Structure formats: C-alpha cells, structure tokens
Amino acid sequence: MSATRTILDGPALWSAQAHLPSVLGRQLVIDRGDGSYIHTSDGRRLFDGTAGLWHANIGHSHPALAEAAHAQMLKLETYHIFARFVNDQALQLAERLAGLSPIADPKVILNSGGSDAIDVACKLARRHWQREGRHSKTTILSREHAYHGLHAYGTSIAGLDFNREGYGTESLVPETARVAVHDVDALARTITRIGAKNIAALVTEPIQGTGGVNPPAPGYLEKVQALCREHDILLIVDEVITGFGRTGAMFATDRFGLDPDLITFAKGVTSGYAPLGGVLVAPRIWEPFYLDDPATPVFRHGATYAGHATACAVAMANLDILEQEQLLPRVVELEHRLDGLLKQLLARRPSVVDVRVAGFLGGVTLRDDIPVERAADALIELGFISRPLRGNTLQISPPFITTDDELTGFVDAIEDVLFAEEAR
C-alpha cells in the first residue's frame, strides 16, 4: 500500500517513454549542464554519453547560442510563416540549409522537431502521388527496428513493435508496412506483394539509432535507392539523428552517396538548444506546388511554431559553431578512436556479444543474462550516462566536443560495469 501511495503521490510531470512504477522515486533531476557534462539537483556530475537524446552535439550551455536566443527575443520572439507572412530568421535559415543540403535546389519546410518532420514528409509523399493522379499510391514502407518519432505517422511506421501496440489497430495510420532491416531481396518481395502501384514511399534512417545503432549493410542503402527508382517509390531519408555532423559529414546522405526525394532533420540543427526540425524537399516534389497557375494545389502543412524566429536564430548560431570549431573533422577522429576502443572491449569482455560504430555513434550489445537497464544504472553510479536500446544494447553518442580521455574513460567505465556483472 505504501508503494501505491508513493506512485500516486509522485510529481505532476508524466515522464516520457517510462514504465512509471520503475522510475518514480529514483528519477534524476537535471538542473545544469556544461560542455559534455550534466549536473543533477542532488550534486552529481555525469558525463553525457548520449548527448541527451542524440542532440547535444556542441555540448551543453554554450554561451553563443544563449546570446543568439537572447538577442533575437529582444528583437522578435517569433512570428508565424503562414500565407503572406514570414519572418526574417526563417528565411535566412532556410537559405543556409538549402546550401548545405545533399538534395540539389531544395525547398525547406520548417517545423518543431523530428516527429513533426516525419508526419509532414509522409503526408507530402502521399499528397505528391494524389496530385499526380496515381491515387492508389498510399502505402508507406519502413524497416524493422526503425524509430521515426511518436506522432501518428511515426507511431504507424515504427519498426519497434512496442511503439505501435495498444491503440486498437496494427497501424494508427492505415497503409503502412515494414521490411527486414538489411534484406534487399525481402524488400523486393514486399514491393511485389503490395504492388508498386500502391506504394508512395519508403522511409529509412541511414543508421538506425533507437533500434540498436545499426549501420547499413554494405551496399544496402544504394540497392534500396535503386529499387525505389525502379518502382517509382519516393525515398525519404530520416536524418533526425545523423544530420548536422553525427557521421562526420553534414548529412549521412552524403556519406552513403544517396539521392533521396525528401530528408527529415531535427536534433542537430540546433544541438537541442531550441525545438526545431524540418524537411528538405527535392524539385520533382516541390515544383508542381509553385506553378503560377490558379489550379496549383496547396500542401496543407504548417504549425504555430513552424519557422520559429528564435529557434531559427539559435540554429544559425549552432551551424556557426560547427564550422568555427571544426567539429565535423573532429567527429571523424572520434569515430576512429571509438571503433578501436570498442573492438578492444569486445575482445576483452565475454559479456559483450557485438559492437557497432558508424560515425560518432556506437552500440555495445550485451549477453542476454546481463540486463542492459541494470548496466546503464551501474554506469550512472560511476558518473557516466548511457541508454538502453533495443537488442540489449548500450548507446554511445557523446557530444562532438568530447576529448580522447573522456571517451576512453567512458568505455573503461563500461568495461568496469561488465567485469562486475560477469562476476555476479
């Protein structure tokens, strides 16, 4: 009964993605950050080995971003970008993003985050084919283990079953299907089974994040792209995690030599300092909506905070930091160092089943008898934050400003935890 009272008497905040009885009473209240570290209200200083939720690329509490937000708010906090109205910061950021885009001559749709971006991209894919008069092309394909946010479309195309369960239907938005994570032949069979005439788009992360840090099998993404082109299926690349430097390139699309129709982005565009996301749209998709003709259709996207002026100003300052501090070349160095450290860990610790590195993203998969949640909790006690992912995997994705010694210390702490687990 006392446990029930503790739960019922907990804080008003309903924590995200939480089995509440398991976390209430032991939550970490974060009240400060500096560089690669965060601080809790009970006095702990923790190395942020996940960069928050994959976003704190330039580290925490960078003064330049605070100054950008302050200056913009004193001038104009925001104004919407509906119809004839637009604010100067949204215009400037869109031009800069278009210049960085792997898609040539794109238009830029701005919104409030990654889940928003996925919803817009999937709707735009379907709207494209309806405008083309190909009304049966409505199905959206995605991959097993995929995570694309938790709005209605992101929930519907999730390749993590637990994110789709419990809503009274297999898919909140109808006409979705999932394909095997690395199997191009299985994708071809799915296209045949559903019929290319019924498929609007395929959505894929270039490197799966929440699904366990799964890099693509060699040649997989290129073959997927070829199948999409062959069957007239739009390719949507979800770069919410990988965009803005996480792979050592500005976009993983560049790293893997892809030419998608749509790219979604968020997190790294502001390093999490303000909520912002969006979609880069290829000319074949946007041009019909720009024709000087009374019959030109309207794509009904937009939200109150789309193109939020302060968020856009913060994004511009963040992009400046990435360039000025040469953080993308640093990511390449960190990738090589992490790869070496994790290979050593795999060789030394029998409790490690597999390690994976792609860019400054790492996954350490543990033996089934060692619960990854317990390992993550033990790491916190040593002063390091990791995160349990699908497949009994520990997440490694620190800020780009991480030092070699900090990265070595993080992997050493993982080894210490696993050594203790093996001795249990």
Side-chain angles (χ1 to χ4, degrees), residues 343-373:
K343 284 176 178 173
Q344 293 172 22
L345 181 68
L346 177 64
R348 288 198 298 257
R349 293 271 56 88
S351 55
V352 177
V353 174
D354 188 26
V355 297
R356 296 171 299 286
V357 174
F360 199 28
L361 290 165
V364 178
T365 299
L366 309 183
R367 219 168 51 202
D368 288 344
D369 62 315
I370 299 177
V372 68
E373 294 82 5

Side-chain angles (χ1 to χ4, degrees), residues 333-402:
E333 296 173 359
L334 287 165
E335 175 181 9
H336 292 312
R337 184 164 185 84
L338 178 61
D339 186 59
L341 290 169
L342 292 191
K343 284 176 178 173
Q344 293 172 22
L345 181 68
L346 177 64
R348 288 198 298 257
R349 293 271 56 88
S351 55
V352 177
V353 174
D354 188 26
V355 297
R356 296 171 299 286
V357 174
F360 199 28
L361 290 165
V364 178
T365 299
L366 309 183
R367 219 168 51 202
D368 288 344
D369 62 315
I370 299 177
V372 68
E373 294 82 5
R374 192 167 70 202
D377 284 346
L379 278 167
I380 287 173
E381 297 308 310
L382 295 180
F384 296 86
I385 297 174
S386 181
R387 184 163 162 258
L389 302 178
R390 185 211 65 84
N392 214 40
T393 296
L394 285 169
Q395 174 183 338
I396 298 175
S397 60
F400 300 169
I401 60 171
T402 297

Side-chain angles (χ1 to χ4, degrees), residues 9-334:
D9 293 342
L13 179 66
W14 191 330
S15 293
Q17 289 284 64
H19 178 251
L20 293 167
S22 300
V23 300
L24 291 175
R26 62 189 200 96
Q27 290 171 302
L28 298 168
V29 179
I30 312 304
D31 62 8
R32 186 162 59 92
D34 65 276
S36 294
Y37 295 85
I38 56 95
H39 298 254
T40 66
S41 59
D42 62 358
R44 306 188 201 198
R45 183 175 185 252
L46 303 174
F47 178 74
D48 189 0
T50 63
L53 288 175
W54 324 85
H55 63 253
N57 294 346
I58 66 167
H60 299 284
S61 304
H62 199 298
L65 273 68
E67 290 163 7
H70 178 253
Q72 182 60 40
M73 285 185 179
L74 289 177
K75 177 181 159 188
L76 173 70
E77 74 296 339
T78 196
Y79 207 79
H80 68 80
I81 58 172
F82 281 38
R84 291 182 61 193
F85 294 91
V86 68
N87 68 71
D88 62 340
Q89 297 303 306
L91 282 172
Q92 291 174 33
L93 177 62
E95 292 298 325
R96 189 163 181 181
L97 294 178
L100 297 172
S101 170
I103 295 173
D105 192 24
K107 296 300 181 186
V108 182
I109 294 174
L110 295 174
N111 50 45
S112 299
S115 292
D116 286 0
I118 287 293
D119 259 33
V120 168
C122 290
K123 287 168 62 180
L124 181 53
R126 288 183 59 152
R127 186 70 180 89
H128 167 76
W129 294 118
Q130 297 303 299
R131 187 203 53 74
E132 290 274 303
R134 300 173 68 176
H135 301 296
S136 65
K137 288 178 78 69
T138 56
T139 296
I140 307 291
L141 302 181
S142 54
R143 295 165 68 198
E144 180 186 18
H145 309 327
Y147 179 81
H148 298 292
L150 290 176
H151 286 1
Y153 245 123
T155 298
S156 300
I157 64 175
L160 300 165
D161 291 344
F162 53 78
N163 279 334
R164 289 202 320 278
E165 294 170 350
Y167 299 105
T169 182
E170 195 274 338
S171 182
L172 276 174
V173 178
E175 297 135 344
T176 69
R178 277 140 298 285
V179 298
V181 66
H182 293 305
D183 192 336
V184 177
D185 292 335
L187 171 58
R189 290 193 297 272
T190 298
I191 293 172
T192 299
R193 175 175 58 82
I194 296 174
K197 68 178 183 180
N198 300 316
I199 301 173
L202 179 144
V203 185
T204 182
E205 300 158 276
I207 300 163
Q208 291 188 332
T210 303
V213 185
N214 303 314
Y220 171 80
L221 291 174
E222 297 88 338
K223 292 174 183 176
V224 166
Q225 177 169 269
L227 273 177
C228 287
R229 294 289 176 262
E230 177 186 349
H231 293 286
D232 221 5
I233 295 168
L234 300 185
L235 178 60
I236 303 171
V237 176
D238 180 348
E239 294 241 32
V240 169
I241 288 174
T242 53
F244 304 99
R246 182 54 70 174
T247 67
M250 188 60 73
F251 291 91
T253 295
D254 287 325
R255 175 167 170 151
F256 295 112
L258 301 178
D259 183 24
D261 300 288
L262 302 164
I263 295 173
T264 61
F265 65 86
K267 299 183 187 293
V269 70
T270 67
S271 286
Y273 281 69
L276 181 68
V279 187
L280 303 173
V281 184
R284 69 177 288 212
I285 309 300
W286 66 255
E287 284 176 351
F289 294 92
Y290 277 71
L291 295 176
D292 186 10
D293 186 321
T296 295
V298 175
F299 176 48
R300 297 292 180 181
H301 74 89
T304 301
Y305 299 127
H308 191 283
T310 300
C312 290
V314 168
M316 295 284 280
N318 177 65
L319 295 173
D320 289 343
I321 297 300
L322 291 177
E323 293 174 3
Q324 293 164 6
E325 299 187 8
Q326 292 289 295
L327 291 180
L328 270 62
R330 177 58 180 157
V331 166
V332 175
E333 296 173 359
L334 287 165

